Amino acid sequence: MSATRFTKNCASISYWKLFESRRINTQPHSESFRMRFIFAASKAACTFYLSHQIMNKLGRQRIQSPRALWRLRTYLKRGGIIAYPTESCYGLGGLPTHTGAIRRIIRLKKRPQNKGLIVIGNKLQQLQPLLCRLPDDTQQQLQNIWPAPKTFIFPCRPKVHPMLRGVRRQQLATRVPNHLVAQQICREARSALISTSCNRAKQMPCRNSKEARKRFGKQVWILGGQVGRRKNPSEIIDWSTKTQLR
């Protein structure tokens, strides 16, 4: 459906909602009615069209229907692995609290267990259950920085699995990605997600769903979509020392 048709449909809906409302003057020709109608119609059209564009980027494996959302959440809770687009490449993900999912990702990538993995969230609040209490000023700074292709390392809670944080480490790499689809998936999954490049060790990361399907086949659930324009992976920075590690 075109953007023009979206706007017309939203305008019609907004018109009748406003006309039937008792909180404003319902005379069709009043100046108050016209101005509120124009504002409401424009806002509804923009929101609806943007939502449609975001979900279109999910490709064949859309997750907006209640049944599809239930399937996705159930799949993740059982330790399933997904492949999805991020800022620079496709990523492999699963629940950071599921030991089986962590092990499967490491096995799929043939990655050393001591290196640790990145965890992303739709917002800082999704990441906080895994991290030690962050000072208020740190939280405010992160609210101003994220979403961004910047991964920060913070002290994590003892319950975080060693293979997630890295063997003999007490810190966790976290990020709120600057990618609408990645954010959407975290939001719909109602959980932070592991985010590591979709590739095996020493191979180039997958840049699209076709490459991901060719490499991993049915071992992962591929959520289609376009990767961002960034050519390099996210920066990794130790928050306490401000040292850039990647």
Side-chain angles (χ1 to χ4, degrees):
M1 187 181 292
S2 66
T4 303
R5 187 175 296 180
F6 271 137
T7 304
K8 288 181 179 179
N9 288 348
C10 292
S12 298
I13 295 169
S14 300
Y15 178 87
W16 287 110
K17 282 186 177 179
L18 282 173
F19 190 79
E20 293 170 358
S21 174
R22 295 181 179 179
R23 290 178 297 175
I24 65 171
N25 181 2
T26 57
Q27 293 299 321
H29 300 294
S30 70
E31 185 64 25
S32 173
F33 182 87
R34 283 196 296 270
M35 294 303 295
R36 297 195 184 204
F37 162 66
I38 291 170
F39 174 77
S42 301
K43 182 179 179 181
C46 291
T47 302
F48 189 33
Y49 183 66
L50 178 59
S51 176
H52 177 80
Q53 292 298 94
I54 292 172
M55 295 313 300
N56 264 348
K57 291 182 180 180
L58 291 176
R60 295 178 181 177
Q61 296 288 356
R62 295 187 182 182
I63 57 172
Q64 73 271 40
S65 72
R67 179 171 176 78
L69 288 172
W70 177 83
R71 285 183 59 220
L72 175 66
R73 292 167 190 157
T74 301
Y75 177 78
L76 289 170
K77 287 178 181 178
R78 292 175 178 173
I81 308 303
I82 59 174
Y84 58 95
T86 65
E87 297 102 320
S88 63
C89 65
Y90 259 65
L92 292 176
L95 295 184
T97 54
H98 197 293
T99 302
I102 299 171
R103 292 182 184 278
R104 288 186 188 96
I105 288 176
I106 291 174
R107 186 170 62 249
L108 281 172
K109 286 179 64 70
K110 299 181 179 179
R111 177 187 176 95
Q113 296 184 10
N114 64 326
K115 293 185 69 173
L117 298 164
I118 295 173
V119 177
I120 65 170
N122 174 52
K123 51 188 177 180
L124 175 59
Q125 285 76 3
Q126 276 196 331
L127 300 170
Q128 285 181 327
L130 300 171
L131 303 174
C132 293
R133 174 73 165 78
L134 298 175
D136 292 341
D137 60 333
T138 297
Q139 293 186 42
Q140 185 58 53
Q141 291 179 59
L142 289 173
Q143 296 286 3
N144 296 332
I145 295 171
W146 283 337
K150 293 180 181 291
T151 298
F152 294 111
I153 297 177
F154 295 103
C156 62
R157 297 179 187 270
K159 67 179 181 180
V160 174
H161 198 283
M163 287 192 293
L164 185 64
R165 64 177 188 257
V167 178
R168 292 187 295 277
R169 296 179 186 175
Q170 302 301 321
Q171 296 176 309
L172 184 66
T174 57
R175 179 171 91 254
V176 175
N178 187 25
H179 192 281
L180 290 177
V181 177
Q183 291 179 32
Q184 176 81 1
I185 294 170
C186 289
R187 181 164 57 251
E188 301 297 0
R190 297 177 180 173
S191 172
L193 294 171
I194 297 168
S195 183
T196 181
S197 57
C198 185
N199 64 312
R200 291 192 170 88
K202 300 182 180 180
Q203 291 183 351
M204 292 295 292
C206 299
R207 293 277 301 173
N208 53 58
S209 58
K210 184 177 180 180
E211 290 181 6
R213 188 172 293 107
K214 182 177 180 180
R215 291 194 192 180
F216 295 103
K218 295 182 179 180
Q219 297 178 88
V220 302
W221 180 357
I222 299 172
L223 299 174
Q226 295 181 350
V227 302
R229 297 180 180 180
R230 187 177 174 86
K231 294 183 179 180
N232 298 318
S234 68
E235 300 173 6
I236 298 180
I237 301 168
D238 187 314
W239 183 266
S240 60
T241 64
K242 306 304 181 192
T243 303
Q244 184 168 335
L245 306 176
R246 183 174 73 181

